[in-house]
Amino acid sequence: MTINTPRRLFAVLVACTAGLASLASQAGDSLPSWNDGASKRAITNFVVATTTPSDAGYVPPAERIAVFDNDGTLWAEQPVYFQLAFALDRVKALTPQHPEWKEKEPFASLLRGDLKAALAGGEHAILEILMASHAGLTTDDFEAIVRQWLATARHPKTGRLYTGMVYQPMLELLAYLRANGYKTFIVSGGGVEFLRVFAEEVYGIPPEQVVGSSIRAKYEVHNGKPLITRLAEIDFINDKAGKPIGIQKFIGRRPVLAFGNSDGDFEMLEWTTTHSGPSLGLLVRHDDATREWAYDRESGIGRLARGLDEGPKRGWITVSMKKDWQEVYP
Amino acid sequence: MTINTPRRLFAVLVACTAGLASLASQAGDSLPSWNDGASKRAITNFVVATTTPSDAGYVPPAERIAVFDNDGTLWAEQPVYFQLAFALDRVKALTPQHPEWKEKEPFASLLRGDLKAALAGGEHAILEILMASHAGLTTDDFEAIVRQWLATARHPKTGRLYTGMVYQPMLELLAYLRANGYKTFIVSGGGVEFLRVFAEEVYGIPPEQVVGSSIRAKYEVHNGKPLITRLAEIDFINDKAGKPIGIQKFIGRRPVLAFGNSDGDFEMLEWTTTHSGPSLGLLVRHDDATREWAYDRESGIGRLARGLDEGPKRGWITVSMKKDWQEVYP
């Protein structure tokens, strides 16, 4: 290739884009772990419509924003959010440095192995545990600790690594959307710095496309070396009505596709599907006690009630784990 | 094309990537508005090294993050930040609804046309003006107002639209970096929702790659229609040590290239260039009173003192507008 004008560059780009688009549209089974049925059809119809220039529902590539909740949507969340499992392990590891915890709740109950009593203090107790386990160290050190935990800790029920409990059908969906020019984002109530440690490797979602809850941080220079240290103060809670706020703040553009599983995702789906153009809202329904868990209205974690009642009226798709997914974990 | 296996897709991707990379590396003059010299050479050498797999300084595509300040780096900032000019125009437009402003500072001075007296109240006065002009309306309405202003307001000195005062050499640099697999971000002290209105069209930077200062917002549903309303409360100031914090919060990955122009960018360049891998820090020096402005140590806006003193010792490149740029505006 010896000529190099903007026109030539443009021609190469067009050729590449066309080649990729044709490959993508042929990808009849980009979703092999999804059973044929209404849910799969709704997804593929939407993707074909939004990526076909002649279609009334066409969406230009720059606007193809798809947002995914994480806990219960991209990976499992029972019996406790995996980040809480991390926090509990971290509290145990830190105990030698905190003799006072033996007398102090929620740590005392936690160290006796009584999780229920530890969490009886509600939000305040959870916050204490999160701050003790997530703050007071640099971003680099925190990342290393999370990475180490993810590489070794095992889920109490399945014995798998936690990253082995991501949902195979969702991995396929993320890849299928990206192959069709969608930019995929995580929009989670979980901590953004926790999620970023594995999101790229596991989901193919780079750090800059992860929106989550956060604690404040400070910038300091020690002996010429700058450090960012995590502080024991909440910065932002990316849950419920916080999700559209987080989307506006971090993405700055209204998504066209939103996928969640609990009432914590209600506003995210609402914000996405009341947009003037084409949109798709989806909810994973955990109805598979054999392969995963079955829970909805009464669950403390991943409660889904309003979404079940109002979702169908709003045209949202309820994805049944039991019926729609051929496989659950990879 | 009839076969469609992951391997085939991979082959197409590799062919496209190789084609693009070869085009990009041939792009001897992707920077026609930059005069030949040390600055241009430093940039092209860095880009070639970081994108050549056999080079010791090679950076994988996912890590090619380049961050740019906006005011004074991508567009002009004199005699006042353009967003402040917008705020002043907006205050004037809102005056009929606020008869009390005739007696109340900083508005009273502002309405008499005495900008100096209005800003004499310092940060507090600026904050009052910003909140009066930026809060209390929905994100959609705010966007429409900014868009309208950018389409009509003219700069007092050049008579150009404000978006006509972006720097041509920087537009070329942004495009050159992207052609080489870099993801370009704005990291500005300016308001993120103000910047996003024009960043995509003018700089080719999508909303999700704009990091800026922000005010809080709330999510509410009115008659089934969700709205995000901007509140008169500061959320985050993305300036000075706030810039690395903003980078960590929104991007979550340390940049390899940072370009600024004032001491407000010092920590952003420091954070970028003390990374263990290859990195490049650059500062625009406003030394061209004929074509633009000449200011540094003594300027209230865009003050550059520490960067001039310490930058060279840290290996940062000082880009002289006068000597390094053949053109200033498009």
Side-chain angles (χ1 to χ4, degrees), chain A:
Chain A
M1 213 177 281
T2 51
I3 25 171
N4 173 32
T5 62
R7 188 168 300 175
R8 178 84 189 108
L9 177 60
F10 183 68
V12 171
L13 275 168
V14 166
C16 291
T17 310
L20 289 172
S22 114
L23 276 169
S25 64
Q26 286 169 33
D29 226 358
S30 300
L31 302 174
S33 302
W34 289 73
N35 291 320
D36 291 327
S39 297
K40 182 171 179 171
R41 222 163 30 239
I43 293 170
T44 53
N45 287 348
F46 183 78
V47 170
V48 169
T50 53
T51 55
T52 303
S54 59
D55 195 288
Y58 178 72
V59 174
E63 293 168 27
R64 292 182 202 156
I65 302 289
V67 291
F68 289 81
D69 169 59
N70 183 51
D71 296 307
T73 302
L74 296 180
W75 73 0
E77 60 182 352
Q78 297 288 358
V80 293
Y81 296 125
F82 297 175
Q83 191 178 353
L84 185 55
F86 161 77
L88 301 179
D89 283 352
R90 176 114 184 103
V91 163
K92 283 177 206 153
L94 288 172
T95 303
Q97 293 153 249
H98 293 275
E100 75 281 10
W101 284 354
K102 275 183 195 140
E103 313 288 332
K104 196 186 164 194
E105 289 300 345
F107 305 102
S109 298
L110 211 66
L111 298 175
R112 282 197 314 273
D114 189 347
L115 183 60
K116 210 167 176 179
L119 301 184
E123 254 182 45
H124 180 74
I126 292 178
L127 206 64
E128 285 241 31
I129 294 167
L130 281 178
M131 291 308 175
S133 53
H134 284 66
L137 66 185
T138 68
T139 46
D140 285 348
D141 288 346
F142 181 73
E143 182 187 329
I145 288 164
V146 174
R147 193 175 294 283
Q148 171 67 14
W149 183 81
L150 288 171
T152 52
R154 299 270 168 182
H155 188 275
K157 182 180 163 189
T158 65
R160 285 173 178 250
L161 291 178
Y162 286 96
T163 51
M165 292 178 70
V166 297
Y167 302 134
Q168 177 62 25
M170 298 303 277
L171 296 182
E172 293 167 7
L173 177 56
L174 290 169
Y176 172 59
L177 289 169
R178 289 193 292 259
N180 281 281
Y182 274 82
K183 225 169 173 175
T184 53
F185 287 81
I186 292 175
V187 176
S188 167
V192 65
E193 305 258 353
F194 180 83
L195 289 157
R196 281 172 173 162
V197 178
F198 64 96
E200 187 155 41
E201 204 181 310
V202 175
Y203 303 132
I205 297 181
E208 62 271 23
Q209 285 163 225
V210 180
V211 179
S213 298
S214 56
I215 55 178
R216 290 193 193 280
K218 71 175 170 193
Y219 180 84
E220 281 175 329
V221 181
H222 290 279
N223 303 322
K225 196 187 166 191
L227 298 171
I228 294 182
T229 304
R230 295 162 58 75
L231 305 176
E233 289 167 50
I234 292 285
D235 176 38
F236 179 62
I237 304 285
N238 191 55
D239 196 27
K240 302 189 178 78
K243 287 204 173 188
I245 299 289
I247 287 169
Q248 181 65 23
K249 187 165 153 155
F250 287 80
I251 308 178
R253 175 132 60 185
R254 218 149 152 177
V256 294
L257 185 153
F259 212 138
N261 78 299
S262 81
D263 284 348
D265 303 313
F266 192 92
E267 287 85 354
M268 174 171 88
L269 268 72
E270 179 175 64
W271 180 240
T272 301
T273 59
T274 49
H275 198 236
S276 58
S279 64
L280 186 63
L282 303 116
L283 288 168
V284 176
R285 184 159 190 189
H286 294 268
D287 56 3
D288 193 333
T290 313
R291 298 185 301 173
E292 208 240 8
W293 282 271
Y295 58 96
D296 49 35
R297 294 177 189 278
E298 306 304 326
S299 180
I301 281 179
R303 181 171 185 270
L304 179 65
R306 192 177 171 201
L308 282 182
D309 297 334
E310 290 187 35
K313 294 178 221 161
R314 291 171 179 253
W316 300 351
I317 308 296
T318 308
V319 172
S320 160
M321 191 173 269
K322 194 170 177 175
K323 292 180 209 144
D324 289 320
W325 288 3
Q326 202 164 102
E327 305 290 337
V328 175
Y329 305 125

Side-chain angles (χ1 to χ4, degrees), chain B:
Chain B
M1 216 175 282
T2 50
I3 26 172
N4 174 33
T5 61
R7 189 169 298 174
R8 178 83 190 107
L9 177 61
F10 183 67
V12 171
L13 276 168
V14 167
C16 290
T17 310
L20 289 172
S22 113
L23 276 169
S25 64
Q26 286 170 33
D29 227 357
S30 300
L31 302 175
S33 301
W34 289 74
N35 290 321
D36 290 327
S39 297
K40 183 172 179 171
R41 221 162 31 239
I43 293 170
T44 53
N45 286 348
F46 183 77
V47 171
V48 169
T50 53
T51 55
T52 302
S54 60
D55 195 288
Y58 179 72
V59 174
E63 292 168 28
R64 291 183 203 155
I65 302 288
V67 291
F68 289 81
D69 169 58
N70 183 52
D71 296 306
T73 301
L74 296 180
W75 75 359
E77 61 181 351
Q78 297 289 355
V80 293
Y81 295 126
F82 296 175
Q83 191 178 353
L84 185 56
F86 161 77
L88 301 180
D89 284 351
R90 176 115 183 101
V91 163
K92 282 176 207 154
L94 287 172
T95 303
Q97 293 153 249
H98 292 277
E100 77 279 11
W101 284 354
K102 276 183 193 140
E103 313 288 331
K104 196 185 163 198
E105 290 300 344
F107 305 102
S109 298
L110 212 65
L111 298 175
R112 283 196 315 270
D114 189 347
L115 183 60
K116 211 166 176 176
L119 300 184
E123 253 181 46
H124 180 75
I126 293 179
L127 206 62
E128 285 241 32
I129 295 167
L130 281 178
M131 290 309 174
S133 53
H134 285 65
L137 66 184
T138 68
T139 46
D140 286 349
D141 289 345
F142 182 71
E143 182 186 331
I145 289 165
V146 174
R147 194 175 294 283
Q148 171 66 14
W149 184 80
L150 288 171
T152 52
R154 299 270 168 182
H155 188 275
K157 182 180 161 187
T158 65
R160 285 174 178 249
L161 292 176
Y162 286 98
T163 51
M165 292 177 71
V166 297
Y167 302 134
Q168 177 62 24
M170 298 303 277
L171 296 182
E172 293 166 9
L173 177 56
L174 290 170
Y176 172 59
L177 287 169
R178 289 193 292 258
N180 282 280
Y182 274 83
K183 225 169 173 176
T184 53
F185 287 81
I186 292 174
V187 176
S188 167
V192 65
E193 304 257 354
F194 180 83
L195 289 157
R196 281 172 172 160
V197 178
F198 64 95
E200 188 155 40
E201 203 183 310
V202 174
Y203 302 132
I205 297 181
E208 63 270 24
Q209 286 164 222
V210 179
V211 179
S213 297
S214 56
I215 56 179
R216 289 192 196 280
K218 70 173 169 194
Y219 180 83
E220 280 176 330
V221 181
H222 291 280
N223 303 322
K225 197 188 166 190
L227 298 170
I228 294 182
T229 304
R230 295 162 58 75
L231 305 176
E233 290 167 49
I234 293 285
D235 175 39
F236 179 62
I237 304 284
N238 191 55
D239 196 29
K240 301 190 177 78
K243 288 204 171 189
I245 298 289
I247 288 169
Q248 181 65 22
K249 187 165 154 154
F250 287 81
I251 308 177
R253 176 132 60 187
R254 218 149 151 176
V256 294
L257 186 153
F259 212 138
N261 79 299
S262 79
D263 284 348
D265 303 313
F266 193 92
E267 286 85 354
M268 173 171 88
L269 268 73
E270 179 175 66
W271 180 240
T272 301
T273 59
T274 49
H275 197 238
S276 58
S279 64
L280 186 64
L282 302 116
L283 288 168
V284 176
R285 182 157 192 190
H286 294 268
D287 55 3
D288 192 333
T290 313
R291 298 185 301 174
E292 207 241 9
W293 282 271
Y295 57 96
D296 48 36
R297 295 176 189 276
E298 307 303 326
S299 180
I301 281 180
R303 182 172 185 270
L304 180 65
R306 194 178 169 201
L308 282 182
D309 296 335
E310 290 187 35
K313 292 178 221 161
R314 291 170 179 252
W316 300 350
I317 308 295
T318 308
V319 172
S320 160
M321 190 172 270
K322 192 169 178 176
K323 293 180 208 144
D324 289 319
W325 289 2
Q326 203 164 101
E327 305 291 336
V328 175
Y329 304 126

